[in-house]
Amino acid sequence: MIKRIWFLIIAILICAGAIFGCAPSHSDKTPETPEPTQVLTTIPTLSPTEFHSADPTQCPFDEPSPKPITQELDYFAIPDAIRDKLTAADIDAYEKIIPAYLGYETSIEFSADDEIVSLEYLIELCFPIFYSDVDETSIEYGSNTVSWKYTTTEKEHAELISQFESKALDYIALLTNDDSMAMRCLVIYNAFTSRVKYDTPTSDYYDGTDPDYDGELYDHCFDSILNEKGVCWCYGRGYAFLLNQIGVEALTVSADGGVGHHEWTLFKLGGKWYYADPTWDKSESLTFFGFTSNARTSYGYYVVNTRYFAGADYPIEGVFDISDTRFSDIYTGVCFGDFYELDRENNQVVFYDYSGGGIYEVSAEFDLG
């Protein structure tokens, strides 16, 4: 009873905030990232098994030993799923670029004899701060060298790194060692989707609506964390970067699905792969977390020529099985409400629905396993 009263008080306060203008704005719709209501007019037509969470006895959802929470970033945390797209030169160069960049150096030499193939995508996903002050037009690849120039002074460079790492670690600081791995993913997702704002001018520039725009462009992974702004690929890659930092393997996928180019996150939990779309869930929605390939198309987004990594052109077909329905009660509307909160003590998501009279009541509880 006390617990329900406590939930009720929180719900009333949240409701009051929404009434007095504190609710997130949905005014940043763009052709590239349609709102859920633009692509969904009815509950998706899914197979019967999509309407029920997977049997927990058949799938070890959480890792047996969750990675302890640490207050430091590991730029060498590379998801295993992309390693077959990396050459020895990619890895050798990457491992040398990290300390060189952090030390304000402008070049590295590597010893691997094969060619660099995916280095730029690896940096974008796992060491995104590199692109915050490196002039991309200055990057040059030699037979065994990579060089670049900065757009900042050494002092400004150090400040950028400090600010980025502080912002990233703010997310990790929200977690506790008692949180399950699924709860950790959701805690960061909740914070990330509420803090990052969609940057319409950047979207308009890239989709041709405003090709002459000469203002600041927020178009890299680091922007979603450092500047808390960006477009879909910033959202997808930023969330993936944070997941890799907490020991959850993640990357991004992209496709042209009939509504323009779009990019979102692919993550691995308990040995299964799931989609999460932080752009479509901006402003703290939970409609597109943990969904499947089938659900992606059922929501009106037709996945054509899907690629994976972080902007690379590697076809996803036959590489990943994204069919586990563990979270299906969330995205099929079985568990639905006007807002949700994370009950970390009981390892579940609690959904609230407006019942009239200014009161919100629990409409569903989703057990994370």
Side-chain angles (χ1 to χ4, degrees):
M1 180 66 181
I2 294 176
K3 182 178 177 183
R4 284 185 66 83
I5 293 174
W6 183 80
F7 281 149
L8 180 60
I9 292 173
I10 292 177
I12 292 173
L13 290 174
I14 293 175
C15 178
I19 292 173
F20 289 102
C22 298
S25 170
H26 292 277
S27 61
D28 52 357
K29 298 178 183 178
T30 71
E32 175 216 21
T33 54
E35 293 291 329
T37 53
Q38 288 181 278
V39 297
L40 176 64
T41 56
T42 61
I43 294 296
T45 303
L46 303 176
S47 62
T49 56
E50 287 276 327
F51 286 93
H52 302 282
S53 299
D55 181 352
T57 64
Q58 302 298 316
C59 174
F61 290 151
D62 293 327
E63 305 298 335
S65 300
K67 180 180 179 182
I69 303 301
T70 59
Q71 278 298 294
E72 60 182 15
L73 296 182
D74 179 10
Y75 295 122
F76 297 95
I78 301 174
D80 290 338
I82 63 173
R83 286 190 177 271
D84 67 339
K85 300 303 178 185
L86 302 175
T87 64
D90 287 326
I91 296 174
D92 194 359
Y94 179 74
E95 292 178 346
K96 290 180 171 61
I97 282 174
I98 293 172
Y101 173 85
L102 296 176
Y104 200 65
E105 298 173 23
T106 58
S107 65
I108 59 100
E109 294 184 3
F110 60 92
S111 57
D113 293 329
D114 53 1
E115 295 183 356
I116 286 176
V117 174
S118 302
L119 179 61
E120 63 178 300
Y121 310 118
L122 178 60
I123 293 174
E124 172 73 2
L125 181 65
C126 298
F127 190 48
I129 187 59
F130 180 83
Y131 291 114
S132 66
D133 65 341
V134 166
D135 179 357
E136 291 182 64
T137 64
S138 74
I139 301 175
E140 295 184 357
Y141 299 94
S143 57
N144 289 96
T145 63
V146 181
S147 62
W148 60 88
K149 295 179 181 178
Y150 296 101
T151 60
T152 59
T153 65
E154 186 170 1
K155 181 179 179 181
E156 292 169 336
H157 174 77
E159 289 174 349
L160 268 177
I161 295 172
S162 177
Q163 291 169 8
F164 173 81
E165 294 188 344
S166 177
K167 287 285 189 73
L169 290 172
D170 279 348
Y171 286 103
I172 298 175
L174 298 172
L175 309 178
T176 72
N177 287 323
D178 292 331
D179 291 327
S180 69
M181 292 303 288
M183 181 60 74
R184 294 182 190 187
C185 293
L186 281 166
V187 168
I188 291 180
Y189 195 72
N190 176 270
F192 188 76
T193 54
S194 64
R195 295 177 186 178
V196 183
K197 306 304 177 186
Y198 194 85
D199 192 64
T200 302
T202 299
S203 177
D204 289 346
Y205 174 80
Y206 281 106
D207 69 16
T209 304
D210 186 10
D212 298 323
Y213 176 71
D214 60 358
E216 186 76 22
L217 292 176
Y218 299 95
D219 58 356
H220 273 296
C221 176
F222 78 87
D223 280 313
S224 62
I225 296 172
L226 178 63
N227 300 310
E228 297 181 342
K229 291 183 180 181
V231 289
C232 66
W233 54 86
C234 307
Y235 276 82
R237 298 170 194 177
Y239 182 55
F241 171 80
L242 293 171
L243 289 186
N244 283 310
Q245 290 302 309
I246 65 170
V248 176
E249 189 174 355
L251 52 146
T252 66
V253 297
S254 61
D256 299 303
V259 292
H261 175 82
H262 188 50
E263 188 165 328
W264 61 98
T265 306
L266 175 63
F267 68 98
K268 191 176 186 180
L269 191 61
K272 303 290 185 178
W273 287 100
Y274 304 92
Y275 284 145
D277 195 333
T279 315
W280 282 16
D281 272 333
K282 62 186 183 297
S283 302
E284 299 180 81
S285 165
L286 197 61
T287 306
F288 298 98
F289 180 87
F291 62 114
T292 63
S293 295
N294 187 27
R296 170 92 280 182
T297 56
S298 295
Y299 270 81
Y301 189 88
Y302 303 102
V303 183
V304 179
N305 190 25
T306 308
R307 290 86 72 182
Y308 74 96
F309 200 147
D313 194 25
Y314 298 124
I316 197 174
E317 186 176 2
V319 179
F320 297 95
D321 176 13
I322 311 146
S323 62
D324 189 82
T325 58
R326 173 184 181 180
F327 297 99
S328 62
D329 283 359
I330 295 177
Y331 56 75
T332 59
V334 175
C335 293
F336 183 79
D338 294 314
F339 68 94
Y340 73 94
E341 69 175 1
L342 303 176
D343 179 0
R344 298 165 77 168
E345 181 178 354
N346 295 302
N347 194 38
Q348 62 183 196
V349 186
V350 182
F351 294 86
Y352 293 87
D353 204 8
Y354 181 70
S355 62
I359 295 177
Y360 284 88
E361 295 183 349
V362 174
S363 60
E365 295 178 344
F366 181 79
D367 192 345
L368 291 174

